[in-house]
Amino acid sequence: MKYAYALTAMLCGFFVGCSEQKSEPLPDLPPVEIPADVYGFYSGQMPCDYCDRRIVDMDLLSDGTVLAVQTTVKGTAQVDTLRGTFVYADSIVKMDLSDKTVHWDFKRDKVGNLAYMKQGDVFRDADGMKAVMVRFYKKIKK
C-alpha cells in the first residue's frame, strides 16, 4: 500500500512538472508571395455532373481576389458571377468564392495553366482528360 501512494505521488509530480513547461513563441514567418505570373485571365471548361457543359472565365487579381463568370448549359444557359479570394502555395491555387460556398483548387502546370483538382488530385474525366483553365496572356500596348 505504501508503494501505491509513492507511485501515485511520483506520477502526479511528473504531470505537474510537465504542465509547467513554457513553450517558446513561434518565429515570425515571411509572407507567402504569389508569383506575378499567376495573376491574369483564365478560361476553360470545368466538370459538371448535373449539366451538359460548364464554362468558366476568371480573373485572378493582384490583390488576391477572384472574379469568375460561370456559364452552365443544361438545355438553356445560366450565367453566374462568382467573387472571392485565392491563395497560392506549392503550385496550388485555392479559391473560396460566393461567401465561401464554392471552393475550387487548381494545380498550376509548367506553362502557367491551371488544372482543376478534386479531392487533392488533378481531376480526369472518364476519357482521362484534365479540366484545364488556360491562361491568356495579353499583349502590352506601347
Side-chain angles (χ1 to χ4, degrees), residues 8-127:
T8 304
M10 286 176 28
L11 287 174
C12 286
F14 175 74
F15 288 119
V16 169
C18 289
S19 66
E20 292 180 12
Q21 280 183 332
K22 294 182 180 177
S23 61
E24 296 287 324
L26 294 173
D28 290 334
L29 298 174
V32 176
E33 292 188 28
I34 299 173
D37 62 347
V38 171
Y39 307 120
F41 177 76
Y42 296 83
S43 183
Q45 202 166 300
M46 298 273 284
C48 187
D49 294 333
Y50 59 89
C51 63
D52 299 327
R53 177 173 289 178
R54 182 166 65 153
I55 301 164
V56 176
D57 295 329
M58 64 184 178
D59 276 306
L60 302 185
L61 305 173
S62 61
D63 64 356
T65 60
V66 180
L67 175 63
V69 177
Q70 173 178 262
T71 304
T72 307
V73 179
K74 185 176 185 179
T76 61
Q78 178 182 341
V79 178
D80 296 306
T81 300
L82 309 171
R83 288 179 170 79
T85 59
F86 75 96
V87 294
Y88 176 81
D90 298 326
S91 296
I92 306 291
V93 176
K94 294 180 177 244
M95 298 179 193
D96 284 314
L97 304 163
S98 297
D99 296 324
K100 297 189 178 186
T101 59
V102 176
H103 181 79
W104 292 336
D105 291 342
F106 295 92
K107 174 97 174 148
R108 189 165 181 248
D109 66 18
K110 61 185 174 188
V111 295
N113 297 328
L114 302 176
Y116 176 69
M117 297 179 71
K118 190 171 184 176
Q119 299 175 345
D121 293 318
V122 172
F123 172 85
R124 292 185 182 272
D125 66 12
D127 297 324

